[in-house]
Structure formats: structure tokens, C-alpha cells
Amino acid sequence: MSLFLIAALPFLGAVFPALLIRAGRNASASAAGLTTFLAFVGLMLHAPAIFRGEVIQVGIDWLPALGLNANFFLDGLGFLFAAMILGIGLLVILYARFYLSREDPMGQFYSYLLLFQGAMVGIVMSDNILLLLIFWELTSLSSFLLIGFWKHLPEGRQGARMALAVTGSGGLAMIGGMMILGNVAGSYDLSVILQNKDLIQASPLYLPALILILIGCFTKSAQFPFHFWLPHAMAAPTPVSAYLHSATMVKAGLFLMARLWPVLAGTPEWFYIVATTGLVTMLLGAVIALFKDDLKALLAYSTVSHLGLITMLLGFGTKIAAVTAVFHIINHATFKAALFMSAGIVDHEAHTRNINRLGGLRHLMPVTATIAIVAALSMAGIPPFNGFLSKEMMLEETVHTLWGSSHYLVPGLALLAALFSAAYSFRFIGHVFLGQPRDDYPATPHDPGLGMWAGPGFLMVLVVLIGLFSAKLAGPLVAVAAGAVIGGDDLPYYSLKLWHGLTPALYMSGVAVIGGLILVRLHRPLMALWMATPRPEAKQIFDVSMRGLTKLAQLITDGLHNGAITRYAFVMMLFIIGICYYAYSSGSLGTASRPVQGVGPIPVIAWFCLIIATLAVVAKHRQRQLSLVLIGVVGLVVSMGFNYLSAPDLALTQLSVEVVSMVLLLLALNFMPKDSPIEAPLWVRLRDGGIAVIGGLGAAALIYALMLRDFVAPSISDYHLANAYKGGGGTNVVNVILVDFRGYDTFGEIIVLGIAALVIYALTEAVLGSRVRAYLLNRKPDMPQAGDAHPMMMVVATRVMMPLALMVAAYIFFRGHNLPGGGFIAGLIAAIALLMQYMASGFSWAAERQRVGYHGIIGSGVLIAASAGLASWFAARPFLTSAYGYLHWPPLEEFEWATASLFDLGVFLAVVGAVLLTLESLARFAWQPGMSTEHAMDINPARDAAENSEDEV
Amino acid sequence: MEILSVEFLVASAVGLLTAAGIYLILRRRTFPVILGLSLLTYGVNIFLFATGRLRVDAPPILDKYAKVAYTDPLPQALVLTAIVISFGMTAVVVMIALAAYLSSKDDRIDMPHHPEDEGEDA
């Protein structure tokens, strides 16, 4: 099975449990199980190749320019982890089916679990470190969902938040580290990075990269001082704990350290950071675990301790230590998953996890007791179970390790940790399962059904078999995985067996076991001593620092984002002026190469009008209606200017947009205050005026300088001029550009326009659906109204004008391809023609006669434009390639047709629809009851005469 | 009359429209801000148009019979759509301003300053 499919299967499968939960919990669990099983089988199909020492690679270049490729590879290490993730995942799915109660949303649970599983599989199979980072963050997110699965428990929510905060921030640090690593190695592909050990270790950026990556690994793998999140994550349902804390989440950090071992390990920095952290964590976890009364808390700290052990081994940097680390990863996964599940069974059946309330369970639940005791003995390092083997090898390694100049520090502390480890394991056995049964359990414990103990039972069998037949069973897997860690085939000599002779490690083991037994005997007084010792509580420190950070973030956010839009606008303007100044001062201005052009008196008069009108808008902006009139003057001069400067299309467009905008603004002003009070103090107005003057002068100087110089590079306009007729079949180059050369832009633009109109429509609906409607219905006009709302002269005139105006629109539309005009302008003119009916005869009258909705007109416009573009596909041309030709239908003159006209029709319809939908929406605000009338005209002599005659009769 | 060139007229118009636009955008009520946006739109559109350099009596309408000069058509096409789109933008802004005013009976654009809401999550 392709690696892509293996990585994708859990994600694809995540949909099914959530859907199938309607068909029952078995269906949901089966879907999750089947998905995992399929992925597991797919992985196992690669096993022969992996054991032959091959590396399987698949990849597609996604964004090669950024070094972001979807590359996967599978070697021994990845295979080992993927097998653990999927294999233990399968057992956990089975276990969870019987563990979760009817009230728990099981479909959700399995979906989260599969998402998490997919992210984990992605991590261990990624070849590209950027891809790896994505999966890495996904595990943080999905584990958040899993840990906080019992949303009703505050501990669950807090634990989930803490895990996310710690592992998430570690992930951020790691992104930095990985980026540095990728830059140093010159590639983001692991297979390349792993070849560049010397280059990376010689780089001055080695240490920063190492520290950042290690922060990521240590937070994920709960190493001191980031270990505190793991025990709090125990608020999760036990299947989650069993999965996250034995085989997956916390092993991700170890995996990454092992993965990067070939390039990062072997330096003093690596040794002192990693090995020391591991050693401290191992000891600390083991000591705390002994004093925990909650079964899961005990196991949590024991996990912390074992993770420290593996970290320390990886930190040693020797090959044999790396082999031991790999072996212990396997062993720890088996016995710890079994232990978590057993603890879950005890909790499930006895309704308590408190060790002080348990004891004697051996008699009541013999199957569970057997599984738990075997696994716990393995954890304590008792032969012949698998935990003994790797712990022996670990102790052996510590003896050969020199820390600073001390021979005794590492072995001594490791022995102490092993001693405490044995002690808490014995306590787990002794205080829970041994002794006499009690009569005060919260519920009567008994063995659960097969479904629940099958998983841990299977793991227990593995614990025993790997212990007894280690070389046969685990040997090949350890060899390929360790070979991948070490990077090369030259594995050091080691042998996985129970009896190595009378080695120092054996003596140390003996001491640890005996010491552990003594500690358990002395547990009661030691516990009293422990409780009396003051010690920092990690959760409180975490909470205080989180509160501090939250306050800081709030302070910054509220300080910057205080809701004063004037301030945002001010800062933005300053910034724009600042970067413009920077651009100006850092560049050089060429000499003027174009002459200025003289000008006659009429343009100067128009210019004066524009200047005066603009100044007047600013001066009179408080009188809103007056300023609208003045801004209309500005718009008219601008249109005239366009016409004067050889842009007839622009002049027509500006003119028609001017009309529509003015109607729009007047409609809106109808409901708004008619004047703006003076609010800003004088200095603020002066300040704003200063900014405005600087901005204006800058813009003027820039465009003046630009106009006096020629193009730096040849313009593409010449191409457009040369090909407008030959390629596009039109002589109006602007129109040909719009509908042909840059038709795709235009297509996007009509869609934007349509969306804008729909936004306005939606806003209108929202506002009119709220309490504002009552206000509008009862609103009294704040200005004197015209006595005659629908004057007869105007009604008659607009009706007469309507066909004429539409005819003008049609004319402008059809000539657009060759002469000034086209869809945009024609659309605006048609919209104005219809708008006049609304204005003259009233909204109700016009709306009644409006048969086709404006939404539909917008939509049909976009669709027609799209189909005109798509049609060129049938001629095997790119989207929006136009075709044209000439037709001769007697008795008409020969005329031209072009597919671009069809596109322009789409533009036309979209513009008509958008403009009218906008204005109609605004007009609906003014609707009041009693406005509907059958008559468009208030005064109609003919009607009045008829009514009078009726009266007479 | 060297000063009063076409270029000077256009550049000064752009400058004035920009300045007026910026000043009005910095006002505190919605309506002047909308006016400012409109003025700024004029300024920006003319600016874009003028990047094609100015020419009188040379519309980019191809003439089959005579070889004549044409002005740059490309900025015209871009500005044409810009005019229409800015209408759409103005309309949306007007609508938002109107809806905000009707809902709150206040047309200030700055949010009123509230004492901080202390939010403590569980």
C-alpha cells in the first residue's frame, strides 16, 4: 500500500465513526477499527522490504520553490513507530468500545482518535520536515480534543488547555529550530539533512537550532521542566491516556530525537543537555510516582520517568545506548499500555482509582490482576519480563558514562531512579492487588468481559514473550530501527538476552529491587515525610504565568485595538506616507524626458471648478446635502477631464456611475443626520490637515514627476493596440482589453460587484428583520416633504424616456466593441433608465412591475459571461479566447459578430442587476404602510375626472 | 503659460483630491468619511489613468484609414473597472454606515470607550 494511503487512511476514516454512530456503537467502533486495521495491514505489507534494510520513499513536489514537498519515507525507525501507533491504536479502539459509557459521544471519540492517529503516523513517515511540523502541530491540536474529551469536567478542560499550551508553544520553538536546520542543510528533506552531519555540527547555528528543536521534543515528551502537563492530561478517559502516554503523543518527542540523532547527537552540547535532562526527569518522575495515590497519576509520573530514561539514553550519544533506547521504547509501550488499561479496568469496576481505597483485588479480579502484576513487574525490571532486559542494558550504559569528571554521578542517580521505579511498581502491585479483600470498595469489583481485557492481555503476552525470546521476537525489529537511528548498517555488538553474567548492571538491578522492597515497606512514614516537605506546585506556577501572559496580551490588544477607527486611519495614513518617503529617499529620480503640453482656456476653467468644488466639499462637509451637490460637481469635471484626455469610455462610465452614486447617497442621507457636529478639537483638525496636505503634495509630486518621464520598460500597451483588431476583432481597444485580453479580470470584477450587491441585500434583510424596522415604520420625516410625491410631469416624462433610454443603452452596448461604449456603460445606463421609474412613480409601483428578481439577473450575467468563456474550451482554446467573424444578412449591411459580445452581455446583465439590487435594497428602508397605491401619479386629471363623474351619478 | 500645462492641471487635481480625501477620511462621522473615500477614489483613479501619460485627441479607437497616434489604452481599461468597482465599494460602505446608524442611532465611527470587561474563564 502506498505510504500516502497509509498516512491518509486515518484521516479519511475519521469521518465514518462520527457518521456511523447513528447505526450504533458497534458500527462506530468497527469503522474506526477497520480503518486502523487496513492501515496496519498496509504497513505490514512493507515489512519484508524494511527487514531487508530498504527505505521506501514516495513524494510529490508541492511547492518546490519553498522546499515544501509532500514526501514520505519509511525506514526501520518509522516502521517501528508506525507499527506501535497503529497496533496499539487497534487495541485501544477495542478497549474504548467497552470502556466508554452510553452517555459518552463515542462517534466523536473515535473520530478524534483517528485524527490523532493520522497525525502521529504522518510524523513518523514524513520525509519533509515542514510536512513533519504540520503533523506535529496536528497532534497537539487533536490531543487537545482527546484530553478534553470529557468536556463537563473542569480538570479535563484545564488539562487539555495546559497540554495544548505546553506542547503547542514547544511546537513553535521547534518550527524555528527546523527552519534553521533546513537552511543550514540546504534542504527541508530529512533524507538530505541526515546526510549532512558535519555541515550542521560545524555551523554556528547548530546550538540555537539544537536548543529550539529540543524544546519542542522536551515539551512533547514531558521532560523536566515541562513534565507537569502529562499528569494533568490524566483527566482524559483512560483509553486516551493509554494511547497518548504509552505509544504515541509523548513518544513523538523521543521519535524526533532519534530521527535527528545522526546529525545532532555526538557533541558535548547534545550530551549535557539531553542526557542531563533525561537523568533528572527519570529520577524526579520516579520519586514523585511513589507518592501518588491515584493509580493514573502514579502511572503518569512513571511514564515521565521512563521517558526521561529513554531521553537520557539518546543523550549519551553512543550507538549502543541508541540501540538500548529503541529497545526500551518497544518495551515501555507494551507494559505501559497494558498498565494504563488495567488501571482503567480497576477504575471502571471498583469506581475508584485511589490506591488507599483498594487492595486485595487479586481475589476479586484475577485476570486483571495477572495482567497488571506481570506488566508492573516488567516496569520494575524483574526478570524474565522485557522491562528487565532494557533496564539492564541502560544500567550497563550508565556505568560507562562520564559526566563532567565524575564516574559515579550518572550510574548513581540512575540506580536511585531504578530503585524508586521498582518501589512504585511494587506499591502498584502490593497496595492494589495483594493483601486481603476489603469490604468498603465503592463498587464490587469483578473481572470485565473479554473485550475489555483482551487488549491488555495481548500486551501482557508480548511482555512475557519479548522477555523470554527477545533475540528472536524483538531482535530484527530492534536491529532495523536502531540501524535507522544510528544511520548505517554498522550496528555495535549487543545481545538481547536475560543472562549476561555477573555484570555491574546485575548487581545494580539487585540493589534496586531490594531497595524498592524496603521503600514500599517504609511507605507510610515516607509519605508523611513527603507531605511535610514543601515543594513547588507546577500547576500553580503555570496558572500564574498564564494569567500574566493573558493580562499582557489583553493589555497589548486593547492598547492597539481600542475601537477608534479614526486612530487606525490616522496611523495607516502616516504609515503610507512614511513608506512613500522611504521609497523616495532610497531611490533616484531620473531627468524629465517628456515635454509638458500646453492647454487652452476651457480646461483651465473646468480645473478651477474642480478645485473650488473640492475645497468647498471640505469646507462645507458638515452640511451634508450641500457637500453632496458639490461632490457631484467634482465628478462631472472628472468625467469631462477623461473625455478631454482621450478617454471617452472612462468619461461615459464616470458620468453614469456619478448619477447612480448620487441617488444612492441621497437615499442613504434621507435616514441619517443632515449635518455633522464639530467634535475634534482644533489641534486634531490641524494635525489631520497637515497629514492631508503632505499626502496630497506627495501624490501630486509623484504623478507630476511620472508624467514628465517616459516608461522605464516597454509598455505592453503597444501589443494591445497592435492586436486589438487582428486578435479581438474590435477597434475600441479599451473594450477589447476588457472583454478579451484581460477578460478574466473583468469576469472577476463582475463577480465582486455581484457579491457587493448581495452583501447589501443581506444587510438590508438583517436590519429590516430587527427592531430597526419598527423605528423606520414610525419614523416621521425630519425635513419638509414635497407636497406631490409623484409629480405628473415627471412620471409622464420618465415613461416616455424609458424606451428611449433603453434604446440608448442597447446602442451603446452594440457599438462598444468598435466605438466608445460596452457592457459596463450600457449596464449603467439601463440601470438609470429603470431607476427613473422608481424615482418618479414610487417604489411600490415599480416593484410591482418588476417581474424578474435582480439576484437572478446578476446570476445570469455571471453565468453568461462564464459560458462565453467556457465555449472556447470546445475549440481547444484557453478560457475566454474570443472568436469573431462577419455576417451578411440581406437586406442588412454586413455586420460583425464576436463571442466577446456574449461576454459583454454577461457584464451588462451583472451591472444592471447589481446596481438595481443595491438601490432597491436601500429604497426598501423608506417603505411605510399606506404607501402602496395603484396609481403612480398623485394627481391625474383623467382619473379625477372619472371619479367626479361617478360622484355625480 | 508654461506653468499651466495639462500635466500640472492633472497633478494638482490629483493632489488636491487626495488631500481632501485624506482629511475627510480622518473625520469622526460616517458621512464625511464616505465623502472622503469618494474624493480619494477620484484622486486614485486619475492617478492610475495618468500613469499612461496624457494625450489630447488621441482616443484608443483604431482608425482603419489613417495612421494616427493613440493614447495608452491599458490604464483606461483598468480605471474603467476601478470606477465600477468603487461604486460597489461605496455602496457597501454606505449600507454599513446606514445600518450602523439605524441600529445605534449614532453615526460616530469610533467605538465608545467602555470600562474593560473583565472576563475570567473557568
Side-chain angles (χ1 to χ4, degrees):
Chain A
M1 194 185 289
S2 162
L3 298 187
F4 280 127
L5 193 54
I6 297 175
L9 258 176
F11 290 112
L12 298 176
V15 185
F16 295 110
L19 290 177
L20 285 175
I21 190 65
R22 288 158 199 275
R25 304 200 297 164
N26 284 331
S28 180
S30 312
L34 198 65
T35 309
T36 312
F37 182 70
L38 269 178
F40 188 73
V41 169
L43 182 75
M44 285 306 144
L45 294 177
H46 291 296
I50 296 293
F51 284 112
R52 282 196 303 272
E54 292 171 20
V55 175
I56 296 141
Q57 274 184 306
V58 291
I60 41 172
D61 287 349
W62 182 30
L63 290 174
L66 290 179
L68 187 53
N69 304 323
N71 291 356
F72 288 99
F73 83 128
L74 190 66
D75 63 353
L77 186 68
F79 178 79
L80 166 67
F81 272 89
M84 285 199 310
I85 293 160
L86 294 170
I88 295 189
L90 211 48
L91 300 180
V92 166
I93 288 169
L94 172 68
Y95 178 79
R97 161 65 188 87
F98 298 97
Y99 181 88
L100 293 180
S101 71
R102 288 198 172 277
E103 289 81 54
D104 294 320
M106 191 178 269
Q108 253 180 46
F109 178 83
Y110 281 126
S111 291
Y112 295 164
L113 196 78
L114 286 181
L115 285 180
F116 175 76
Q117 188 181 56
M120 279 306 301
V121 172
I123 288 185
V124 301
M125 295 204 312
S126 296
D127 186 7
N128 188 285
I129 52 176
L130 300 177
L131 191 65
L132 190 149
L133 285 173
I134 293 171
F135 285 120
W136 185 275
E137 296 298 329
L138 273 181
T139 60
S140 294
L141 293 175
S142 48
S143 66
F144 173 79
L145 295 173
L146 282 173
I147 295 171
F149 179 69
W150 280 332
K151 304 185 206 41
H152 55 283
L153 297 180
E155 301 87 44
R157 300 197 300 265
Q158 286 163 10
R161 273 211 305 267
M162 186 189 276
L164 184 68
V166 175
T167 60
S169 49
L172 291 181
M174 200 169 79
I175 291 176
M178 289 296 205
M179 291 289 162
I180 299 178
L181 193 67
N183 272 330
V184 171
S187 167
Y188 289 110
D189 283 343
L190 266 173
S191 35
V192 179
I193 292 173
L194 293 181
Q195 306 298 321
N196 284 312
K197 176 181 178 173
D198 298 330
L199 183 70
I200 289 166
Q201 296 201 350
S203 160
L205 290 173
Y206 166 71
L207 192 60
L210 178 70
I211 291 173
L212 288 173
I213 291 174
L214 285 179
I215 290 177
C217 295
F218 287 173
T219 48
K220 203 74 155 184
S221 285
Q223 295 298 295
F224 179 82
F226 309 113
H227 62 283
F228 56 89
W229 70 263
L230 197 151
H232 287 286
M234 288 299 144
T238 303
V240 173
S241 310
Y243 197 37
L244 261 59
H245 306 318
S246 65
T248 55
M249 170 94 161
V250 295
K251 293 280 169 71
L254 300 180
F255 167 80
L256 202 68
M257 282 190 267
R259 178 93 280 170
L260 295 174
W261 194 89
V263 284
L264 295 181
T267 61
E269 295 95 327
W270 170 272
F271 172 76
Y272 282 108
I273 299 175
V274 179
T276 313
T277 307
L279 186 60
V280 171
T281 311
M282 175 167 74
L283 184 58
L284 199 77
V287 174
I288 300 177
L290 182 59
F291 300 105
K292 286 292 165 189
D293 287 331
D294 179 2
L295 276 183
K296 278 177 79 180
L298 185 151
L299 291 176
Y301 279 102
S302 134
T303 303
V304 169
S305 169
H306 280 271
L307 293 169
L309 187 158
I310 300 167
T311 304
M312 178 185 75
L313 284 170
L314 289 170
F316 285 167
T318 60
K319 290 181 177 178
I320 185 91
V323 174
T324 311
V326 168
F327 190 31
H328 196 70
I329 286 173
I330 301 175
N331 296 338
H332 179 248
T334 51
F335 68 67
K336 192 50 67 67
L339 282 170
F340 268 118
M341 291 193 211
S342 316
I345 292 175
V346 171
D347 186 19
H348 201 253
E349 304 301 336
H351 292 197
T352 181
R353 301 198 305 247
N354 190 338
I355 295 178
N356 294 328
R357 304 201 58 186
L358 295 167
L361 291 183
R362 175 172 58 106
H363 305 286
L364 296 167
M365 36 198 329
V367 178
T368 314
T370 314
I371 295 169
I373 291 173
V374 168
L377 288 176
S378 180
M379 176 162 78
I382 305 294
F385 307 116
N386 61 0
F388 169 72
L389 293 167
S390 45
K391 186 166 279 192
E392 279 269 292
M393 290 165 75
M394 179 274 287
L395 290 171
E396 180 72 32
E397 272 311 293
T398 59
V399 174
H400 304 299
T401 306
L402 191 74
W403 199 97
S405 57
S406 165
H407 282 287
Y408 298 103
L409 186 75
V410 175
L413 290 178
L415 175 60
L416 198 61
L419 196 148
F420 272 94
S421 178
Y424 67 68
S425 304
F426 293 149
R427 179 162 188 248
F428 182 86
I429 297 169
H431 292 186
V432 177
F433 295 101
L434 302 185
Q436 286 306 310
R438 304 163 60 141
D439 47 13
D440 61 342
Y441 304 116
T444 315
H446 56 84
D447 270 323
L450 174 69
M452 215 157 160
W453 63 259
F458 175 76
L459 290 168
M460 179 199 75
V461 173
L462 278 186
V463 165
V464 178
L465 290 182
I466 293 176
L468 293 175
F469 310 106
S470 48
K472 279 246 163 21
L473 268 176
L477 192 55
V478 172
V480 289
V485 174
I486 294 165
D489 304 318
D490 51 341
L491 280 175
Y493 173 77
Y494 65 91
S495 78
L496 308 177
K497 58 183 180 185
L498 287 167
W499 179 251
H500 285 275
L502 293 172
T503 55
L506 190 65
Y507 296 128
M508 289 164 82
S509 278
V511 172
V513 171
I514 294 164
L517 284 173
I518 297 170
L519 279 184
V520 173
R521 278 263 164 239
L522 297 175
H523 188 264
R524 198 176 292 271
L526 283 175
M527 189 73 183
L529 184 67
W530 174 261
M531 295 310 281
T533 330
R535 51 188 187 278
E537 195 59 53
K539 184 171 188 308
Q540 281 167 9
I541 301 172
F542 176 80
D543 285 346
V544 168
S545 46
M546 284 308 274
R547 260 199 297 279
L549 284 174
T550 313
K551 273 265 177 316
L552 183 70
Q554 202 169 22
L555 210 70
I556 295 174
T557 312
D558 289 350
L560 289 178
H561 191 97
N562 64 351
I565 298 177
T566 39
R567 197 174 69 160
Y568 307 161
F570 178 70
V571 172
M572 196 169 78
M573 289 302 165
L574 269 189
F575 181 73
I576 293 172
I577 289 170
I579 52 171
C580 287
Y581 177 75
Y582 171 76
Y584 171 73
S585 59
S586 62
S588 60
L589 192 62
T591 49
S593 54
R594 290 171 75 99
V596 294
Q597 303 168 56
V599 67
I602 293 173
V604 177
I605 296 170
W607 176 78
F608 265 115
C609 291
L610 179 112
I611 299 292
I612 291 164
T614 311
L615 289 173
V617 170
V618 175
K620 298 284 172 194
H621 77 267
R622 299 186 192 290
Q623 301 172 33
R624 296 182 173 180
Q625 276 182 325
L626 179 60
S627 58
L628 266 189
V629 175
L630 290 165
I631 211 168
V633 175
V634 177
L636 285 178
V637 177
V638 170
S639 328
M640 292 194 312
F642 281 139
N643 193 35
Y644 174 65
L645 294 167
S646 318
D649 286 278
L650 289 189
L652 283 170
T653 314
Q654 186 74 60
L655 202 60
S656 31
V657 163
E658 214 50 55
V659 174
V660 183
S661 308
M662 209 47 67
V663 174
L664 173 91
L665 284 166
L666 280 169
L667 265 175
L669 191 57
N670 185 23
F671 303 98
M672 294 174 82
K674 302 296 176 289
D675 41 26
S676 318
I678 300 176
E679 282 177 314
L682 183 64
W683 70 270
V684 171
R685 280 178 279 153
L686 287 176
R687 181 199 69 181
D688 294 346
I691 293 284
V693 168
I694 295 171
L697 283 177
L702 179 60
I703 194 61
Y704 191 66
L706 198 69
M707 283 188 292
L708 291 190
R709 281 155 187 85
D710 284 301
F711 291 106
V712 181
S715 162
I716 54 168
S717 300
D718 294 335
Y719 171 84
H720 291 149
L721 283 169
N723 288 286
Y725 190 70
K726 270 190 284 179
T731 54
N732 180 2
V733 186
V734 174
N735 184 267
V736 175
I737 291 175
L738 283 175
V739 298
D740 193 331
F741 292 125
R742 305 203 58 82
Y744 206 55
D745 282 359
T746 310
F747 185 56
E749 249 141 349
I750 58 172
I751 291 174
V752 171
L753 198 65
I755 292 173
L758 291 177
V759 166
I760 290 166
Y761 175 76
L763 267 171
T764 307
E765 286 288 301
V767 171
L768 289 184
S770 70
R771 60 191 165 75
V772 170
R773 186 170 180 81
Y775 162 79
L776 285 172
L777 290 179
N778 297 315
R779 182 177 163 273
K780 296 276 171 286
D782 50 0
M783 287 174 71
Q785 300 286 293
D788 193 357
H790 306 297
M792 180 176 70
M793 287 295 284
M794 191 169 163
V795 174
V796 174
T798 51
R799 292 210 194 145
V800 174
M801 296 253 298
M802 169 113 163
L804 291 176
L806 288 179
M807 185 55 83
V808 170
Y811 170 68
I812 294 266
F813 174 81
F814 282 114
R815 72 178 217 155
H817 212 46
N818 291 317
L819 289 166
F824 273 116
I825 302 163
L828 288 164
I829 292 174
I832 293 169
L834 293 170
L835 204 57
M836 288 193 306
Q837 306 308 312
Y838 279 93
M839 294 198 298
S841 305
F843 177 78
S844 309
W845 185 88
E848 262 172 40
R849 282 151 186 82
Q850 168 63 26
R851 305 244 166 75
V852 189
Y854 295 122
H855 304 72
I857 296 182
I858 299 176
S860 62
V862 172
L863 286 180
I864 287 174
S867 56
L870 290 179
S872 52
W873 280 354
F874 293 102
R877 296 289 184 80
F879 188 62
L880 276 175
T881 311
S882 62
Y884 66 97
Y886 296 91
L887 280 181
H888 187 79
W889 289 342
L892 294 176
E893 286 284 309
E894 185 183 73
F895 67 92
E896 185 204 348
W897 62 270
T899 54
S901 297
L902 193 62
F903 181 77
D904 223 11
L905 179 66
V907 174
F908 170 83
L909 288 174
V911 171
V912 171
V915 170
L916 286 174
L917 183 61
T918 301
L919 290 166
E920 192 206 24
S921 299
L922 266 166
R924 282 168 58 205
F925 281 90
W927 187 86
Q928 285 186 324
M931 277 174 68
S932 299
T933 161
E934 311 157 40
H935 313 299
M937 286 174 261
D938 294 342
I939 301 164
N940 183 338
R943 186 179 68 219
D944 294 346
E947 279 174 4
N948 287 341
S949 61
E950 277 171 26
D951 288 350
E952 282 164 17
V953 172
Chain B
M1 276 304 255
E2 191 62 15
I3 289 289
L4 279 183
S5 60
V6 181
E7 280 77 10
F8 173 79
L9 296 188
V10 169
S12 55
V14 167
L16 185 68
L17 287 169
T18 309
I22 292 176
Y23 181 76
L24 289 180
I25 282 174
L26 296 174
R27 296 306 89 211
R28 296 187 178 182
R29 300 277 176 158
T30 49
F31 201 80
V33 172
I34 293 168
L35 290 182
L37 279 173
S38 302
L39 287 179
L40 197 61
T41 305
Y42 290 133
V44 170
N45 284 342
I46 300 174
F47 187 104
L48 288 178
F49 169 71
T51 56
R53 313 299 188 263
L54 303 180
R55 242 190 194 154
V56 181
D57 284 339
I61 309 293
L62 300 180
D63 193 330
K64 272 188 248 187
Y65 307 107
K67 180 131 180 78
V68 290
Y70 304 111
T71 187
D72 194 341
L74 191 59
Q76 292 196 17
L78 299 182
V79 170
L80 197 152
T81 49
I83 294 172
V84 180
I85 286 292
S86 51
F87 163 71
M89 181 204 71
T90 311
V92 171
V93 174
V94 165
M95 188 62 219
I96 292 172
L98 180 60
Y101 173 72
L102 289 176
S103 308
S104 66
K105 302 290 175 301
D106 184 7
D107 64 346
R108 287 187 186 84
I109 61 170
D110 291 348
M111 285 205 280
H113 190 71
H114 287 300
E116 279 176 47
D117 306 318
E118 285 291 333
E120 196 68 35
D121 53 349

